[in-house]
Protein backbone atom coordinates (compact mmCIF):
# COMPACT_ATOMS: atom_id res chain seq x y z
CA UNK A 1 0.00 0.00 0.00
CA UNK A 2 2.89 2.33 0.81
CA UNK A 3 4.40 1.78 -2.65
CA UNK A 4 1.05 2.53 -4.33
CA UNK A 5 0.55 5.68 -2.26
CA UNK A 6 4.05 6.90 -3.04
CA UNK A 7 3.77 6.19 -6.77
CA UNK A 8 0.36 7.83 -7.14
CA UNK A 9 1.16 10.56 -4.61
CA UNK A 10 -2.14 9.91 -2.84
CA UNK A 11 -3.14 8.81 0.65
CA UNK A 12 -4.52 5.40 1.66
CA UNK A 13 -8.08 6.69 1.87
CA UNK A 14 -7.93 7.81 -1.77
CA UNK A 15 -6.56 4.42 -2.85
CA UNK A 16 -9.33 2.61 -0.98
CA UNK A 17 -11.91 4.84 -2.68
CA UNK A 18 -10.42 3.97 -6.08
CA UNK A 19 -10.74 0.25 -5.28
CA UNK A 20 -14.42 0.73 -4.49
CA UNK A 21 -15.23 3.18 -7.28
CA UNK A 22 -17.27 2.24 -10.32
CA UNK A 23 -15.14 4.29 -12.70
CA UNK A 24 -11.71 5.86 -12.80
CA UNK A 25 -10.19 8.90 -14.49
CA UNK A 26 -8.10 7.99 -17.54
CA UNK A 27 -5.05 9.82 -16.23
CA UNK A 28 -5.25 7.82 -13.02
CA UNK A 29 -5.83 4.60 -14.98
CA UNK A 30 -2.70 5.30 -17.00
CA UNK A 31 -0.71 5.72 -13.79
CA UNK A 32 -2.15 2.44 -12.43
CA UNK A 33 -1.18 0.75 -15.71
CA UNK A 34 2.39 1.96 -15.31
CA UNK A 35 2.55 0.96 -11.67
CA UNK A 36 1.17 -2.55 -12.23
CA UNK A 37 2.83 -2.97 -15.64
CA UNK A 38 -0.51 -3.96 -17.15
CA UNK A 39 -2.30 -2.29 -20.06
CA UNK A 40 -5.82 -1.67 -18.76
CA UNK A 41 -6.64 0.34 -21.89
CA UNK A 42 -6.24 -2.78 -24.03
CA UNK A 43 -9.29 -4.26 -22.31
CA UNK A 44 -11.42 -1.34 -23.47
CA UNK A 45 -10.01 -1.15 -26.99
CA UNK A 46 -10.49 -4.91 -27.44
CA UNK A 47 -14.08 -4.57 -26.31
CA UNK A 48 -14.70 -1.75 -28.78
CA UNK A 49 -13.21 -3.68 -31.67
CA UNK A 50 -15.30 -6.77 -30.96
CA UNK A 51 -18.61 -5.31 -29.86
CA UNK A 52 -18.94 -1.87 -31.44
CA UNK A 53 -21.83 -1.66 -33.90
CA UNK A 54 -20.78 -1.71 -37.55
CA UNK A 55 -20.27 1.74 -38.95
CA UNK A 56 -22.72 3.07 -41.47
CA UNK A 57 -20.07 4.83 -43.49
CA UNK A 58 -20.79 5.07 -47.20
CA UNK A 59 -17.89 4.19 -49.47
CA UNK A 60 -18.44 7.24 -51.66
CA UNK A 61 -18.90 9.66 -48.77
CA UNK A 62 -16.45 12.53 -48.66
CA UNK A 63 -13.98 12.12 -45.84
CA UNK A 64 -13.69 14.93 -43.33
CA UNK A 65 -10.28 16.57 -42.96
CA UNK A 66 -10.99 17.24 -39.30
CA UNK A 67 -11.45 13.63 -38.18
CA UNK A 68 -8.48 11.25 -38.46
CA UNK A 69 -9.10 8.15 -40.55
CA UNK A 70 -7.17 4.97 -39.84
CA UNK A 71 -6.97 2.50 -42.70
CA UNK A 72 -5.83 -0.42 -40.59
CA UNK A 73 -7.49 -1.89 -37.56
CA UNK A 74 -5.28 -2.97 -34.72
CA UNK A 75 -6.12 -6.42 -33.42
CA UNK A 76 -4.60 -7.64 -30.18
CA UNK A 77 -3.44 -11.22 -29.80
CA UNK A 78 -6.38 -11.80 -27.46
CA UNK A 79 -8.82 -10.80 -30.20
CA UNK A 80 -7.08 -13.00 -32.75
CA UNK A 81 -7.20 -15.96 -30.36
CA UNK A 82 -10.89 -15.30 -29.64
CA UNK A 83 -11.76 -15.24 -33.35
CA UNK A 84 -9.67 -18.32 -34.18
CA UNK A 85 -11.22 -20.21 -31.27
CA UNK A 86 -14.72 -19.47 -32.59
CA UNK A 87 -13.74 -20.86 -36.01
CA UNK A 88 -11.94 -23.92 -34.62
CA UNK A 89 -14.82 -24.82 -32.30
CA UNK A 90 -17.30 -24.60 -35.19
CA UNK A 91 -19.21 -21.82 -33.43
CA UNK A 92 -18.87 -19.59 -36.50
CA UNK A 93 -17.52 -20.05 -40.00
CA UNK A 94 -15.17 -17.66 -41.80
CA UNK A 95 -17.95 -15.87 -43.64
CA UNK A 96 -19.86 -15.23 -40.42
CA UNK A 97 -16.70 -13.90 -38.72
CA UNK A 98 -16.01 -11.53 -41.61
CA UNK A 99 -19.59 -10.26 -41.61
CA UNK A 100 -20.05 -10.07 -37.79
CA UNK A 101 -16.73 -8.44 -36.86
CA UNK A 102 -15.93 -6.60 -40.13
CA UNK A 103 -12.54 -8.28 -40.37
CA UNK A 104 -11.10 -8.21 -43.90
CA UNK A 105 -11.02 -11.60 -45.58
CA UNK A 106 -7.28 -11.37 -46.27
CA UNK A 107 -6.59 -10.55 -42.62
CA UNK A 108 -8.58 -13.53 -41.40
CA UNK A 109 -6.84 -15.85 -43.87
CA UNK A 110 -3.44 -14.55 -42.72
CA UNK A 111 -4.37 -15.30 -39.08
CA UNK A 112 -5.52 -18.80 -40.02
CA UNK A 113 -2.33 -19.42 -41.99
CA UNK A 114 -0.10 -18.25 -39.12
CA UNK A 115 -2.12 -20.33 -36.69
CA UNK A 116 -1.67 -23.51 -38.76
CA UNK A 117 2.05 -22.74 -39.21
CA UNK A 118 2.58 -22.50 -35.45
CA UNK A 119 0.57 -25.66 -34.72
CA UNK A 120 2.58 -27.79 -37.19
Amino acid sequence: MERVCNFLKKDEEFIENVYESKSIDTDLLLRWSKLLEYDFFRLYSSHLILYAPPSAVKKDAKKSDKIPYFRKNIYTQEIKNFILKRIQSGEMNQTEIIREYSIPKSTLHRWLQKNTDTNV
Side-chain angles (χ1 to χ4, degrees), residues 70-107:
F70 301 102
R71 291 189 60 214
K72 290 192 172 202
N73 287 323
I74 299 171
Y75 302 101
T76 64
Q77 191 59 46
E78 291 85 1
I79 290 175
K80 293 176 188 177
N81 292 340
F82 173 80
I83 297 295
L84 293 172
K85 184 178 172 186
R86 295 195 88 177
I87 292 173
Q88 292 165 349
S89 70
E91 217 175 313
M92 295 178 84
N93 64 35
Q94 293 180 27
T95 306
E96 291 170 329
I97 294 287
I98 291 167
R99 187 175 41 245
E100 178 75 23
Y101 299 114
S102 300
I103 296 174
K105 188 176 183 179
S106 59
T107 301

Side-chain angles (χ1 to χ4, degrees), residues 77 80 83-84 87-88 94 104-120:
Q77 191 59 46
K80 293 176 188 177
I83 297 295
L84 293 172
I87 292 173
Q88 292 165 349
Q94 293 180 27
K105 188 176 183 179
S106 59
T107 301
L108 182 59
H109 287 291
R110 191 169 41 252
W111 294 352
L112 290 166
Q113 183 64 42
K114 286 183 180 179
N115 188 48
T116 56
D117 289 347
T118 57
N119 289 338
V120 175

